[in-house]
Amino acid sequence: MLFYRAGMFVIGPESAGAHPGPTCYRKGGPLCVTDANLCLGRLLPEYFPHIFGKTEDQPLDKDATVAAFHDLTIVVNKQSLEQKGREYVPKTPEEVAMGFIEVANEAMCRPIRALTQAKGHDTSRHVLACFGGAGGQHACSIARSLGMKQVFIHKYCGILSAYGMALADVVYETQEPCAHTYSADNFQYLDARLGELTQQCCEELQRQGFESENITTEPFLHLRYEKTDCALMCTAAKKPSGGTAMTHGDFLSSFLDRYQSEFGFTITNRCIIVDDIRVRGVGHSAVPLENNIMQADKPPQVEKVVEVFFIGGYRDANVYLLENLRNGHVIPGPALIIDKNSTVLVEPDCEAAITANGDVSITIGSGAHRIIGTELDDIQLSIFSHRFMSTAEQMGRILQRTAISTNIKERLDFSCAMFGPDGGLVANAPHIPIHLGAMQETVQFQIKNLGNGIQKGDVILSNHPSAGGSHLPDLTVITPVFYGDQPKPVFFVASRGHHADIGGITPGSMPPHSKFLSEEGAIFRSFKLVENGIFQEEAVTEALMAPGKIPRSSGTRNLQDNLSDLRAQVAANQKGIQLITELIDAYGLNVVQAYMAHIQANAELAVREMLKEIALKTRERTGKTLLYGEDYMDDGTKIALTVDINEHEGSAVVDFSGTGYEVYGNCNTPRAVTLSALIYCLRCMVGHDVPLNQGCLAPIKIVIPSGTILSPSAGAAVVGGNVLTSQRIVDVILKAFDTCAASQGCMNNVTFGDEDVGYYETVAGGAGAVSKTTDETKR
């Protein structure tokens, strides 16, 4: 479904489904991506069956689609004119529809980039395989955005699942648990078990009617490093034994190769555990495949010429029927290739070729270079929003893939973000809510504290609460980015990860009884983890072991994991730099920085609209726009909040005056955590997806009295404030806004260990009830 919200083009995630379906289905449905393609001439109603409408005998209704886009265009132009003034050039319905297509394509690219990156692959080195009735309309644009040079579309792409089921082989698998180490002492046992499971597979497939010559088997071992939970199912099909491995093949080489590919490293001197033994048997189908189609002996037959809208206007496009095309036919774009179950759009500067099997192979051209200015364009705003968020998400994938600790790799206790030249948050991937606004405080502290001391080749490490930290185990790695001959950083990237142990008076660095910050582990305020491009291993090791100099305290108990995870955070930042640098190379530094500011302004607009709506409802209910909420910690310390909303400006003063004093314990909460709680609640209450950035807080003046539990002194213990008090802050904010009841109010931390190892985990709890079902509370 298509939406225009707070000056942005938004695609989904809501879907109209098959019923009522898009507007063009004649059942009163909303505008969808299908409607946009129809409006632009990329779908031709005359080639669709007459199965629409309540009587299911009508054609696609293009007139209704065009009328709906006309109405939406009026809304878009009105809001844009109010926001941008006289210089705004009104959009046509086709330009609005084209904008939604561009945003939809970028939205589809995001998960492709993220999932491919998670497996350690580069999208530009692959072919885009396209299927589904609508896939062919977007394939060229998506492939170009992903850097792919080739698209492959099967001739039955519209019904590929059904076609595949008809040709499918029958697979039967047997599996049993193992828990042995992968070592020469156990090779005989593992080979024997694989042999027994192989026999079981063959017998079952023969029972189903397959002859032995049509049955193949493949052995697998489910392997993982000791003391990790990330197991990989490995085959030795391409790794013959060589005399030193198991009879069934060299599973060790297979595991190491795959681990290196997916995670970017291997772990030396660590045992490998066999979790499971599996054999896959395949009974091969005897269904004959289709013969090759005829060779082309004349030019392809053009059915008609239609106008199709692209960026820049309408262009003539030839229409071809796939059933009339032959092997060797070449179709230059723009063109439409139509089949009974799908429509393929060959975009300008692309070229389609028909293969011997009748499939479509499209070569992707570079496309015309499009110049984007620094002035706000709501279509480009949505596209840049996706690109910035995609950058933060891919940073997270790299961090997860290259980190070694369970805490980051498997618990996913980390966040990644990018920041503007002033340190203001631009995009924060939806990782850990407590990190949402806190990292901005950290980056801005470094800019203020180090000033011109931030040099090219530096990477900064920080975790101090007074420097924007949340609690000490959350180590933030910040990389300034210099571009060209710019003397100062043009943007920053940062990653924050929870390290399972950084020293302190208890294993896990989460002491329940700490009274001072120094008891909670190693402290970094503005530490240069990398200086002049050199990783400062000796210096950071010394700092991580420094808590051991304090009586009853210890240095880090997981030094190698700390160092490996810090390197992973540096690598994640480097990925972010690469992606944003590519954007700057493509669009120019001034354009990228302009859209960083535009996206922050858009988030501000969304929050202002939300505050105006809340103020209106509050005035109707109480006769005023003053909100209040309070709650208490277990020791009786009060958290008080007064919210005074200006209903005309959509601004608010959020005042925590009346909150209790700093405590002689560790439930004190750094200011950055309070900001994170506030930005989290605001985003929840907006009711729809908005960028996570500093713009969310722009309409809000925040008052947090110094010396309170929400703004403690520099040496106060804070480890409990990050995981317990933060929950109470959220409860108070939602209570003041009358959104929902209090949650269970704690993250339920579990920690244990000894002198050599520390472990930390959180256990989920319940959320508060709501008084009524609204769009906001559903989220």
Side-chain angles (χ1 to χ4, degrees):
M1 292 167 60
L2 311 182
F3 305 95
Y4 186 73
R5 292 174 178 154
M8 290 188 71
F9 284 64
V10 179
I11 307 292
E14 298 88 345
S15 172
H19 180 79
T23 299
C24 61
Y25 279 19
R26 298 176 180 268
K27 294 181 180 179
L31 282 175
C32 298
V33 174
T34 300
D35 290 303
N37 281 312
L38 180 62
C39 180
L40 299 175
R42 302 175 177 211
L43 293 177
L44 304 181
E46 58 267 37
Y47 291 96
F48 275 72
H50 291 198
I51 58 173
F52 304 101
K54 294 182 179 179
T55 56
E56 299 184 352
D57 59 357
Q58 300 294 307
L60 286 175
D61 191 349
K62 184 173 182 178
D63 291 340
T65 290
V66 172
F69 269 109
H70 181 269
D71 293 341
L72 179 59
T73 302
I74 293 175
V75 175
V76 171
N77 287 332
K78 180 181 178 181
Q79 292 189 17
S80 298
L81 185 62
E82 292 173 353
Q83 186 177 358
K84 303 171 191 175
R86 295 180 178 179
E87 69 275 9
Y88 173 70
V89 179
K91 289 181 170 60
T92 65
E94 290 86 354
E95 288 173 331
V96 171
M98 188 68 223
F100 279 111
I101 293 296
E102 290 185 82
V103 176
N105 290 338
E106 189 58 42
M108 287 185 272
C109 287
R110 268 179 67 181
I112 295 174
R113 289 191 185 101
L115 293 173
T116 305
Q117 185 67 61
K119 296 295 183 181
H121 301 304
D122 180 0
T123 56
S124 64
R125 301 175 62 183
H126 291 75
V127 173
L128 182 64
C130 178
F131 58 90
Q137 296 152 43
H138 302 266
C140 291
S141 288
I142 290 174
R144 184 180 285 118
S145 182
L146 294 172
M148 296 177 169
K149 302 301 182 184
Q150 203 76 24
V151 174
F152 179 82
I153 304 176
H154 194 277
K155 59 184 175 183
Y156 298 139
C157 67
I159 54 169
L160 198 59
S161 295
Y163 180 67
M165 289 177 65
L167 300 178
D169 297 330
V170 174
V171 176
Y172 181 79
E173 293 185 342
T174 56
Q175 180 173 316
E176 64 181 34
C178 180
H180 284 62
T181 59
Y182 186 85
S183 62
D185 294 341
N186 294 317
F187 283 172
Q188 184 176 355
Y189 169 81
L190 295 172
D191 276 323
R193 297 313 307 153
L194 285 171
E196 174 63 26
L197 296 180
T198 299
Q199 182 63 31
Q200 293 178 22
C201 280
C202 292
E203 290 175 354
E204 174 59 26
L205 290 171
Q206 288 172 351
R207 190 185 66 80
Q208 295 185 33
F210 289 93
E211 300 294 335
S212 58
E213 59 268 21
N214 291 329
I215 297 173
T216 59
T217 60
E218 186 175 5
F220 294 87
L221 294 181
H222 204 201
L223 303 174
R224 63 176 174 84
Y225 281 114
E226 188 178 31
K227 297 182 180 180
T228 72
D229 291 335
C230 191
L232 300 176
M233 191 63 73
C234 299
T235 176
K238 297 180 180 180
K239 302 287 184 180
S241 174
T244 59
M246 293 171 52
T247 303
H248 284 85
D250 186 358
F251 289 92
L252 176 61
S253 295
S254 176
F255 173 74
L256 295 177
D257 289 350
R258 188 173 169 193
Y259 206 94
Q260 178 70 41
S261 174
E262 292 205 16
F263 304 126
F265 65 92
T266 56
I267 305 175
T268 57
N269 302 320
R270 183 81 67 92
C271 291
I272 296 173
I273 306 299
V274 183
D275 276 347
D276 303 282
I277 303 171
R278 176 189 295 182
V279 172
R280 175 181 299 159
V282 180
H284 296 281
S285 170
V287 177
L289 298 177
E290 294 190 53
N291 297 323
N292 292 345
I293 64 173
M294 295 176 58
Q295 186 72 30
D297 56 3
K298 58 182 179 180
Q301 177 182 338
V302 179
E303 298 298 318
K304 60 192 301 186
V305 179
V306 298
E307 287 189 329
V308 178
F309 192 90
F310 297 93
I311 297 173
Y314 280 102
R315 296 186 61 172
D316 289 339
N318 293 338
V319 178
Y320 303 88
L321 296 181
L322 184 60
E323 62 186 22
N324 294 335
L325 298 178
R326 300 291 178 261
N327 178 20
H329 273 150
V330 175
I331 311 295
L336 293 173
I337 301 175
I338 297 177
D339 188 38
K340 294 177 181 178
N341 298 298
S342 63
T343 299
V344 177
L345 173 67
V346 185
E347 294 193 0
D349 201 31
C350 297
E351 185 178 81
I354 307 303
T355 69
N357 291 324
D359 305 317
V360 181
S361 178
I362 304 177
T363 301
I364 305 299
S366 59
H369 180 65
R370 186 178 180 187
I371 299 176
I372 306 296
T374 57
E375 65 279 1
L376 174 62
D377 178 88
D378 38 17
I379 297 171
Q380 292 302 318
L381 178 70
S382 302
I383 292 173
F384 270 96
S385 176
H386 280 290
R387 293 299 295 270
F388 291 151
M389 286 294 289
S390 177
T391 296
E393 289 169 351
Q394 290 185 72
M395 289 172 63
R397 295 287 185 174
I398 289 289
L399 178 52
Q400 180 187 359
R401 190 167 68 86
T402 57
I404 194 171
S405 70
T406 301
N407 230 34
I408 293 179
K409 180 179 287 295
E410 291 153 29
R411 285 190 67 245
L412 308 183
D413 193 348
F414 65 82
S415 290
C416 298
M418 57 176 294
F419 307 82
D422 62 348
L425 179 64
V426 174
N428 191 124
H431 292 140
I432 302 297
I434 202 69
H435 299 162
L436 295 182
M439 278 199 286
Q440 172 178 301
E441 294 272 303
T442 305
V443 175
Q444 291 178 334
F445 176 87
Q446 304 308 325
I447 294 174
K448 181 179 179 180
N449 190 48
L450 294 176
N452 294 328
I454 300 176
Q455 300 294 323
K456 189 174 184 178
D458 290 349
V459 179
I460 304 159
L461 173 64
S462 181
N463 69 346
H464 199 290
S466 65
S470 45
H471 60 174
L472 295 186
D474 282 344
L475 299 184
T476 304
V477 174
I478 305 162
T479 306
V481 183
F482 294 82
Y483 185 82
D485 57 357
Q486 297 291 321
K488 293 186 177 181
V490 296
F491 63 93
F492 293 82
V493 291
S495 55
R496 175 171 288 183
H498 184 116
H499 289 238
D501 195 292
I502 57 165
I505 59 176
T506 62
S509 303
M510 295 286 292
H513 52 280
S514 55
K515 302 294 190 296
F516 303 98
L517 186 67
S518 57
E519 296 176 326
E520 297 177 350
I523 300 174
F524 302 92
R525 188 182 292 271
S526 297
F527 182 90
K528 290 197 174 182
L529 179 64
V530 177
E531 190 168 11
N532 296 322
I534 300 173
F535 187 83
Q536 304 296 308
E537 182 171 344
E538 183 176 342
V540 75
T541 297
E542 181 180 351
L544 286 167
M545 300 306 296
K549 300 175 183 178
I550 300 173
R552 301 184 302 107
S553 186
S554 167
T556 178
R557 300 161 182 86
N558 293 330
L559 177 61
Q560 292 307 313
D561 282 9
N562 293 137
L563 296 175
S564 295
D565 286 352
L566 287 172
R567 289 190 179 96
Q569 290 178 255
V570 173
N573 288 2
Q574 193 60 37
K575 181 63 176 181
I577 294 171
Q578 174 197 333
L579 294 172
I580 298 300
T581 302
E582 290 174 359
L583 268 184
I584 294 175
D585 291 340
Y587 295 100
L589 175 61
N590 58 339
V591 172
V592 173
Q593 288 188 333
Y595 273 93
M596 287 181 177
H598 293 329
I599 285 172
Q600 291 169 337
N602 176 259
E604 177 183 347
L605 176 63
V607 173
R608 286 189 184 276
E609 290 181 352
M610 183 268 294
L611 289 173
K612 289 178 182 179
E613 182 180 348
I614 290 176
L616 179 62
K617 293 179 180 178
T618 304
R619 182 172 290 281
E620 290 176 351
R621 189 177 70 251
T622 67
K624 56 184 179 180
T625 58
L626 195 66
L627 308 175
Y628 181 79
E630 65 178 39
D631 199 352
Y632 295 84
M633 302 294 291
D634 291 353
D635 64 357
T637 303
K638 183 166 72 172
I639 299 175
L641 171 64
T642 302
V643 182
D644 190 1
I645 304 177
N646 185 319
E647 58 189 311
H648 304 292
E649 297 180 358
S651 60
V653 177
V654 175
D655 189 352
F656 286 94
S657 296
T659 295
Y661 293 112
E662 172 185 326
V663 297
Y664 186 56
N666 59 26
C667 285
N668 302 295
T669 304
R671 172 184 168 88
V673 172
T674 303
L675 295 182
S676 291
L678 181 58
I679 197 173
Y680 167 76
C681 292
L682 289 173
R683 188 169 182 268
C684 290
M685 291 185 291
V686 165
H688 57 80
D689 193 25
V690 295
L692 296 172
N693 60 53
Q694 74 167 7
C696 293
L697 294 179
I700 297 175
K701 178 183 178 182
I702 303 170
V703 179
I704 307 176
S706 297
T708 64
I709 192 174
L710 303 185
S711 183
S713 59
V718 299
V719 72
N722 183 68
V723 297
L724 195 157
T725 313
S726 61
Q727 301 283 73
R728 298 292 174 89
I729 298 171
V730 169
D731 287 344
V732 171
I733 295 171
L734 296 179
K735 180 180 181 180
F737 281 91
D738 194 27
T739 300
C740 67
S743 70
Q744 54 114 33
C746 182
M747 291 186 188
N748 308 312
N749 298 270
V750 178
T751 181
F752 59 86
D754 55 24
E755 294 80 4
D756 301 317
V757 65
Y759 183 81
Y760 167 70
E761 180 62 279
T762 53
V763 182
V770 296
S771 58
K772 57 184 178 180
T773 302
T774 64
D775 288 341
E776 290 82 9
T777 55
K778 284 179 182 177
R779 296 175 184 273

